[in-house]
CSV table of all heavy atoms in Angstrom, one decimal:
chain,number,residue,atom,x,y,z
A,29,ARG,N,-13.5,26.8,14.3
A,29,ARG,CA,-13.9,27.6,15.4
A,29,ARG,C,-13.5,29.1,15.3
A,29,ARG,O,-14.0,29.9,16.0
A,29,ARG,CB,-13.3,27.0,16.7
A,29,ARG,CG,-14.1,25.8,17.2
A,29,ARG,CD,-13.6,25.3,18.5
A,29,ARG,NE,-14.3,24.2,19.0
A,29,ARG,CZ,-15.5,24.3,19.7
A,29,ARG,NH1,-15.9,25.5,20.0
A,29,ARG,NH2,-16.1,23.2,20.1
A,30,ILE,N,-12.7,29.4,14.3
A,30,ILE,CA,-12.3,30.8,14.1
A,30,ILE,C,-13.5,31.6,13.8
A,30,ILE,O,-13.6,32.8,14.2
A,30,ILE,CB,-11.2,30.9,13.0
A,30,ILE,CG1,-9.9,30.2,13.5
A,30,ILE,CG2,-11.0,32.3,12.5
A,30,ILE,CD1,-8.8,30.1,12.5
A,31,SER,N,-14.4,31.1,13.0
A,31,SER,CA,-15.6,31.9,12.5
A,31,SER,C,-16.4,32.5,13.7
A,31,SER,O,-16.8,33.6,13.6
A,31,SER,CB,-16.5,31.0,11.6
A,31,SER,OG,-17.1,30.0,12.4
A,32,HIS,N,-16.5,31.7,14.7
A,32,HIS,CA,-17.3,32.2,15.9
A,32,HIS,C,-16.4,32.6,17.1
A,32,HIS,O,-16.9,32.9,18.2
A,32,HIS,CB,-18.3,31.1,16.4
A,32,HIS,CG,-19.4,30.8,15.4
A,32,HIS,ND1,-19.2,30.5,14.1
A,32,HIS,CD2,-20.8,30.9,15.6
A,32,HIS,CE1,-20.4,30.4,13.5
A,32,HIS,NE2,-21.3,30.6,14.4
A,33,ARG,N,-15.1,32.6,16.8
A,33,ARG,CA,-14.1,32.9,17.9
A,33,ARG,C,-14.4,32.0,19.1
A,33,ARG,O,-14.4,32.5,20.2
A,33,ARG,CB,-14.1,34.4,18.2
A,33,ARG,CG,-13.6,35.2,17.0
A,33,ARG,CD,-12.3,34.8,16.4
A,33,ARG,NE,-11.2,34.5,17.3
A,33,ARG,CZ,-10.2,35.4,17.6
A,33,ARG,NH1,-10.2,36.6,17.1
A,33,ARG,NH2,-9.3,35.0,18.5
A,34,SER,N,-14.7,30.7,18.8
A,34,SER,CA,-15.0,29.8,20.0
A,34,SER,C,-13.9,28.9,20.2
A,34,SER,O,-14.1,27.7,20.7
A,34,SER,CB,-16.3,29.1,19.7
A,34,SER,OG,-16.1,28.2,18.6
A,35,GLU,N,-12.7,29.3,19.9
A,35,GLU,CA,-11.5,28.5,20.1
A,35,GLU,C,-11.4,27.9,21.5
A,35,GLU,O,-10.9,26.8,21.7
A,35,GLU,CB,-10.2,29.2,19.8
A,35,GLU,CG,-10.0,29.7,18.3
A,35,GLU,CD,-10.5,31.2,18.2
A,35,GLU,OE1,-11.5,31.6,18.8
A,35,GLU,OE2,-9.8,31.9,17.5
A,36,ASP,N,-11.8,28.7,22.5
A,36,ASP,CA,-11.7,28.2,23.9
A,36,ASP,C,-12.6,27.0,24.2
A,36,ASP,O,-12.5,26.4,25.2
A,36,ASP,CB,-12.0,29.4,24.8
A,36,ASP,CG,-13.3,30.1,24.5
A,36,ASP,OD1,-13.9,29.8,23.5
A,36,ASP,OD2,-13.7,30.9,25.4
A,37,GLY,N,-13.6,26.7,23.3
A,37,GLY,CA,-14.5,25.6,23.5
A,37,GLY,C,-13.9,24.3,23.1
A,37,GLY,O,-14.5,23.2,23.3
A,38,GLN,N,-12.7,24.3,22.4
A,38,GLN,CA,-12.2,23.0,21.9
A,38,GLN,C,-11.5,22.3,23.1
A,38,GLN,O,-10.7,22.8,23.8
A,38,GLN,CB,-11.2,23.3,20.8
A,38,GLN,CG,-10.6,22.0,20.2
A,38,GLN,CD,-10.0,22.2,18.9
A,38,GLN,OE1,-9.7,23.3,18.5
A,38,GLN,NE2,-9.7,21.1,18.2
A,39,THR,N,-11.9,21.0,23.2
A,39,THR,CA,-11.2,20.1,24.2
A,39,THR,C,-10.7,18.9,23.5
A,39,THR,O,-10.9,18.8,22.3
A,39,THR,CB,-12.3,19.6,25.3
A,39,THR,OG1,-13.2,18.8,24.6
A,39,THR,CG2,-13.0,20.8,25.9
A,40,ASP,N,-10.1,18.0,24.2
A,40,ASP,CA,-9.5,16.8,23.6
A,40,ASP,C,-10.6,16.0,22.9
A,40,ASP,O,-10.4,15.2,21.9
A,40,ASP,CB,-8.8,15.9,24.6
A,40,ASP,CG,-7.5,16.6,25.0
A,40,ASP,OD1,-7.1,17.6,24.3
A,40,ASP,OD2,-6.8,16.2,26.0
A,41,GLU,N,-11.8,16.0,23.5
A,41,GLU,CA,-12.9,15.1,23.0
A,41,GLU,C,-13.9,15.9,22.1
A,41,GLU,O,-14.8,15.3,21.5
A,41,GLU,CB,-13.7,14.5,24.1
A,41,GLU,CG,-12.9,13.4,24.9
A,41,GLU,CD,-12.1,14.1,26.0
A,41,GLU,OE1,-12.6,15.0,26.6
A,41,GLU,OE2,-10.9,13.6,26.2
A,42,SER,N,-13.9,17.2,22.1
A,42,SER,CA,-15.0,18.0,21.5
A,42,SER,C,-15.1,17.8,20.0
A,42,SER,O,-16.2,18.0,19.4
A,42,SER,CB,-14.8,19.5,21.7
A,42,SER,OG,-13.6,19.9,21.2
A,43,TYR,N,-14.1,17.3,19.3
A,43,TYR,CA,-14.1,17.2,17.8
A,43,TYR,C,-15.3,16.3,17.3
A,43,TYR,O,-15.9,16.6,16.3
A,43,TYR,CB,-12.8,16.7,17.3
A,43,TYR,CG,-12.5,15.3,17.6
A,43,TYR,CD1,-12.8,14.3,16.7
A,43,TYR,CD2,-11.8,14.9,18.7
A,43,TYR,CE1,-12.6,12.9,17.0
A,43,TYR,CE2,-11.5,13.6,19.0
A,43,TYR,CZ,-11.9,12.6,18.2
A,43,TYR,OH,-11.6,11.3,18.4
A,44,GLN,N,-15.5,15.2,18.0
A,44,GLN,CA,-16.6,14.3,17.5
A,44,GLN,C,-17.9,15.0,17.4
A,44,GLN,O,-18.6,15.0,16.4
A,44,GLN,CB,-16.6,13.1,18.5
A,44,GLN,CG,-17.7,12.1,18.0
A,44,GLN,CD,-17.2,10.7,18.1
A,44,GLN,OE1,-16.1,10.4,18.4
A,44,GLN,NE2,-18.1,9.8,17.7
A,45,ARG,N,-18.3,15.6,18.5
A,45,ARG,CA,-19.6,16.3,18.6
A,45,ARG,C,-19.6,17.5,17.6
A,45,ARG,O,-20.6,17.7,16.9
A,45,ARG,CB,-19.9,16.8,20.0
A,45,ARG,CG,-21.3,17.2,20.3
A,45,ARG,CD,-21.4,17.5,21.8
A,45,ARG,NE,-20.2,18.1,22.5
A,45,ARG,CZ,-19.8,19.3,22.4
A,45,ARG,NH1,-20.5,20.2,21.8
A,45,ARG,NH2,-18.7,19.7,23.1
A,46,PHE,N,-18.5,18.2,17.5
A,46,PHE,CA,-18.4,19.3,16.7
A,46,PHE,C,-18.6,18.9,15.2
A,46,PHE,O,-19.3,19.5,14.4
A,46,PHE,CB,-17.0,20.0,16.9
A,46,PHE,CG,-16.9,21.3,16.1
A,46,PHE,CD1,-17.3,22.5,16.7
A,46,PHE,CD2,-16.4,21.3,14.9
A,46,PHE,CE1,-17.1,23.7,16.1
A,46,PHE,CE2,-16.3,22.5,14.2
A,46,PHE,CZ,-16.6,23.7,14.8
A,47,ILE,N,-17.8,17.9,14.8
A,47,ILE,CA,-17.9,17.5,13.3
A,47,ILE,C,-19.2,17.0,13.0
A,47,ILE,O,-19.8,17.3,11.9
A,47,ILE,CB,-16.8,16.4,13.1
A,47,ILE,CG1,-15.4,17.0,13.3
A,47,ILE,CG2,-16.9,15.8,11.7
A,47,ILE,CD1,-14.9,18.0,12.3
A,48,GLU,N,-19.8,16.2,13.9
A,48,GLU,CA,-21.2,15.7,13.6
A,48,GLU,C,-22.2,16.8,13.5
A,48,GLU,O,-23.0,16.8,12.6
A,48,GLU,CB,-21.6,14.7,14.7
A,48,GLU,CG,-21.1,13.3,14.4
A,48,GLU,CD,-21.1,12.3,15.5
A,48,GLU,OE1,-21.5,12.7,16.6
A,48,GLU,OE2,-20.7,11.2,15.3
Side-chain angles (χ1 to χ4, degrees):
R29 282 185 177 276
I30 291 171
S31 67
H32 289 56
R33 297 309 312 264
S34 64
E35 297 95 321
D36 53 351
Q38 185 164 10
T39 67
D40 287 348
E41 292 85 38
S42 59
Y43 69 90
Q44 178 135 0
R45 194 172 33 81
F46 186 91
I47 297 288
E48 271 163 2

